[in-house]
Amino acid sequence: MKRILFFIFMIGLGSNAFGQIDLNTKFKPIKIKNVKPKKEVPPPANLPKLDVPKIVAPNVFKETNIYGTKPQVNNSFEIGTAENHFSMTPTDKYKHKLGDVYQEKMTQDLDKTMVREGLKEDSSLLDREDRYLGDFKTKSNDLVVKYRDYIQIDGDLINVYLNDQLIQSRLYLYSNLHEFKIPLTTGLNKIEFVVASQGTSGGNTAEIHVIDGSNKSVTDEYWNNLALGTKIKLIVIKE
């Protein structure tokens, strides 16, 4: 029992001895140096002034569009609107249909092919020049005119004038020769053949034979690709 008490006494004495140890250490604070602030350098006097717009915060309670512009409807895919719309077709929707554009292109290509194959006259090379065939003398009382279309039967028409008076109107040119007579008066007789229609495949391509009463040829003409309104004139003097 005595040993136990002695052991407890020694433990208590040792803890008091360690708790009273003084290390004699002193705290040395770091002194703050007095730092003088740097002098502000003023900006150069010759710098240009910038016109900076005033920034105003938007009022989100009154204006939902914070950029201050009216919203634009995106109608780029809306049919019939001009905004944001690009097209190679005509813009007048009441004048053209979409198929008309392609139909016209196909017609032009077909025309070029027919001209190249010799099935149609080239409308770009129409002969628009009037011509005078000359003066002829005869003792006959009338002339016989034979006419036809010598290439393609496509609706070619001619008018015939005698001394500026229409005597044959819109003669249709068939593949076979047809004929009519022109009565002559003593003296000068002015005869004009005028293209009344080019037909549907290019210019007018008439074949004309003028014969007097003695079966003598006055003129033989082959019109090649004549334009509408072109005139062929000759003078016949009856003796």
Side-chain angles (χ1 to χ4, degrees):
M1 186 65 183
K2 292 180 180 180
R3 292 181 179 179
I4 296 174
L5 292 175
F6 177 78
F7 181 73
I8 294 172
F9 175 76
M10 291 299 294
I11 292 174
L13 183 62
S15 60
N16 289 332
F18 283 107
Q20 295 178 359
I21 296 175
D22 188 6
L23 299 177
N24 291 328
T25 57
K26 294 182 179 181
F27 173 74
K28 294 180 180 181
I30 300 175
K31 293 181 179 181
I32 300 175
K33 295 182 180 181
N34 294 328
V35 180
K36 294 181 179 181
K38 295 182 179 180
K39 294 182 179 181
E40 295 184 358
V41 180
N46 57 353
L47 285 178
K49 294 183 179 180
L50 298 179
D51 187 10
V52 180
K54 184 179 179 181
I55 300 176
V56 180
N59 189 340
V60 296
F61 298 100
K62 293 183 178 181
E63 180 62 52
T64 57
N65 187 354
I66 63 174
Y67 295 102
T69 59
K70 294 182 179 180
Q72 294 183 356
V73 181
N74 184 9
N75 53 10
S76 59
F77 296 100
E78 183 178 349
I79 298 175
T81 57
E83 295 84 357
N84 302 324
H85 182 68
F86 176 79
S87 175
M88 296 296 290
T89 58
T91 56
D92 189 351
K93 62 180 179 180
Y94 299 105
K95 185 177 180 181
H96 297 282
K97 295 180 181 179
L98 183 60
D100 294 341
V101 180
Y102 301 102
Q103 182 178 0
E104 182 179 355
K105 179 66 169 58
M106 293 175 62
T107 302
Q108 293 176 356
D109 293 341
L110 179 60
D111 289 343
K112 291 179 181 179
T113 302
M114 293 180 68
V115 170
R116 185 172 60 252
E117 297 298 328
L119 301 175
K120 182 178 181 180
E121 296 89 355
D122 188 355
S123 60
S124 64
L125 301 176
L126 288 175
D127 187 352
R128 306 177 187 276
E129 184 178 357
D130 296 340
R131 62 198 68 183
Y132 175 60
L133 302 180
D135 299 343
F136 303 91
K137 294 181 179 181
T138 184
K139 296 180 181 181
S140 301
N141 294 326
D142 51 46
L143 299 176
V144 177
V145 178
K146 297 182 179 181
Y147 62 94
R148 74 183 185 104
D149 192 333
Y150 72 98
I151 295 183
Q152 184 177 358
I153 311 306
D154 59 343
D156 290 353
L157 303 174
I158 60 173
N159 292 335
V160 183
Y161 294 83
L162 175 61
N163 296 328
D164 298 324
Q165 297 295 321
L166 181 65
I167 59 174
Q168 296 290 336
S169 175
R170 298 178 66 83
L171 293 176
Y172 190 90
L173 305 185
Y174 296 93
S175 59
N176 297 326
L177 286 170
H178 288 64
E179 64 181 56
F180 65 92
K181 288 186 178 182
I182 298 178
L184 299 177
T185 58
T186 303
L188 186 145
N189 296 268
K190 182 176 71 172
I191 301 172
E192 287 182 309
F193 300 95
V194 181
V195 176
S197 173
Q198 300 174 186
T200 58
S201 62
N204 190 294
T205 52
E207 176 184 345
I208 302 293
H209 302 279
V210 180
I211 305 169
D212 65 5
S214 61
N215 205 27
K216 180 181 177 180
S217 176
V218 176
T219 183
D220 297 300
E221 291 295 319
Y222 294 86
W223 301 352
N224 186 16
N225 215 23
L226 292 188
L228 180 66
T230 306
K231 299 178 180 179
I232 307 295
K233 182 174 70 172
L234 68 150
I235 301 295
V236 177
I237 301 174
K238 181 185 177 184
E239 297 176 336

